[in-house]
Amino acid sequence: MDIDELLSRYPRDVDLKPDGKVTIRVMDRSDRDAVLAFARSLPEEDLLFLRTDLTEESVVDEWFDAIDNGLTTSLIAYEGDATAGYATVHRTKARWTRRVGEIRVNVGPEYRSRGLGRNLTAQIFDIANALGLMKLMANMTADQIGAQAAFRRLGFTPEAMLGDFVEDRDGRPRDLVMMTYDMDGLSSQAGEPLRGL
Ligand SMILES: CC(C)(COP(=O)(O)OP(=O)(O)OC[C@H]1O[C@@H](n2cnc3c(N)ncnc32)[C@H](O)[C@@H]1OP(=O)(O)O)[C@@H](O)C(=O)NCCC(=O)NCCS
């Protein structure tokens, strides 16, 4: 499906387990303050896999610049006014890596294990597919065992371990795990079929 047609289907509601509902929207600049507040509310552990420090305003502004110039497409989930999580796919301009996308998914601690991560990932897969991406990559620190388990369940496999690649705020080095997903199977392998798609 054409990317514009796919994005025109938002916003859409998604049910959470065991109950509750969030609304997923295509992220735009009106979400800036919500993204910043969400990032600042997360434990540091959940931000270390990012290449940049999302608690800084300038970094969030760069994210929205990337959305505006088409290199990043992001979804954000709200329950009322509360931010429940986001998923994003980022591409690079270089011709030789233009089919590779980096995805980042972050679900607020109180919304985890309720199916939101799977749902957001399935939707970002559909977007990645519409963008013509062939391979997706997701990074996390080696001690984010839960996130690695979740991404395995979503069909990703570990492809590289980068020793001492990340340093936390106390100066402690952490290894980074790079997990990848080849897009042949498309979203049906990653997520449950989504209602309304
Ligand atoms: C990784 C993350 C996005 C998962 O989100 P979530 O909403 O909790 O995930 P879901 O509830 O949709 O679960 C997805 C699958 O992973 C499994 N899973 C989730 N958390 C798990 C855990 N801690 N241990 C083992 N499996 C887990 C679920 O059972 C589910 O599989 P199933 O549907 O086949 O049963 C979330 O934990 C998170 O935001 N972590 C911090 C940020 C991060 O590290 N992101 C990864 C880098 S991109």
Side-chain angles (χ1 to χ4, degrees), residues 49 105-107 112-115 117-118 139 144 146-147 149-150 153:
F49 69 93
V105 186
N106 222 327
V107 170
R112 291 196 188 148
S113 299
R114 297 173 67 188
R118 177 176 280 278
N139 296 328
Q144 279 179 295
R153 296 285 294 163

Side-chain angles (χ1 to χ4, degrees), residues 119-193:
N119 209 303
L120 280 169
T121 307
Q123 298 195 38
I124 216 75
F125 272 35
D126 285 337
I127 289 171
N129 185 40
L131 290 168
L133 298 180
M134 302 299 288
K135 190 171 181 112
L136 294 182
M137 146 179 115
N139 296 328
M140 54 212 83
T141 56
D143 38 14
Q144 279 179 295
I145 303 294
Q148 286 172 53
F151 269 78
R152 276 182 200 269
R153 296 285 294 163
L154 297 169
F156 280 73
T157 49
E159 190 152 323
M161 165 90 90
L162 307 176
D164 294 346
F165 205 73
V166 180
E167 186 179 289
D168 65 20
R169 290 208 170 97
D170 300 325
R172 198 156 56 103
R174 310 280 186 99
D175 298 341
L176 193 78
V177 177
M178 191 178 280
M179 298 183 80
T180 61
Y181 184 94
D182 288 318
M183 290 293 286
D184 334 299
L186 304 184
S187 61
S188 57
Q189 285 185 7
E192 313 265 344

Side-chain angles (χ1 to χ4, degrees), residues 27-171:
M27 200 187 281
D28 63 31
R29 281 195 188 265
S30 66
D31 301 303
R32 178 191 181 275
D33 291 347
V35 168
L36 196 56
F38 179 69
R40 288 177 175 173
S41 75
L42 292 173
E44 189 194 22
E45 289 298 314
D46 293 346
L47 296 170
L48 285 176
F49 69 93
L50 301 169
R51 283 171 211 270
T52 50
D53 184 352
L54 208 51
T55 62
E56 287 178 18
E57 290 194 28
S58 60
V59 171
V60 173
D61 288 336
E62 280 169 22
W63 181 352
F64 286 98
D65 290 345
I67 289 176
D68 286 348
N69 70 27
L71 286 179
T72 293
T73 308
S74 308
L75 299 174
I76 186 162
Y78 287 104
E79 184 185 39
D81 289 336
T83 310
Y86 68 78
T88 186
V89 58
H90 182 74
R91 297 172 290 156
T92 52
K93 274 190 195 142
R95 185 181 53 77
W96 42 91
T97 48
R98 72 189 190 285
R99 300 263 179 215
V100 178
E102 180 179 346
I103 74 159
R104 301 168 200 153
V105 186
N106 222 327
V107 170
E110 62 275 35
Y111 292 94
R112 291 196 188 148
S113 299
R114 297 173 67 188
L116 182 57
R118 177 176 280 278
N119 209 303
L120 280 169
T121 307
Q123 298 195 38
I124 216 75
F125 272 35
D126 285 337
I127 289 171
N129 185 40
L131 290 168
L133 298 180
M134 302 299 288
K135 190 171 181 112
L136 294 182
M137 146 179 115
N139 296 328
M140 54 212 83
T141 56
D143 38 14
Q144 279 179 295
I145 303 294
Q148 286 172 53
F151 269 78
R152 276 182 200 269
R153 296 285 294 163
L154 297 169
F156 280 73
T157 49
E159 190 152 323
M161 165 90 90
L162 307 176
D164 294 346
F165 205 73
V166 180
E167 186 179 289
D168 65 20
R169 290 208 170 97
D170 300 325

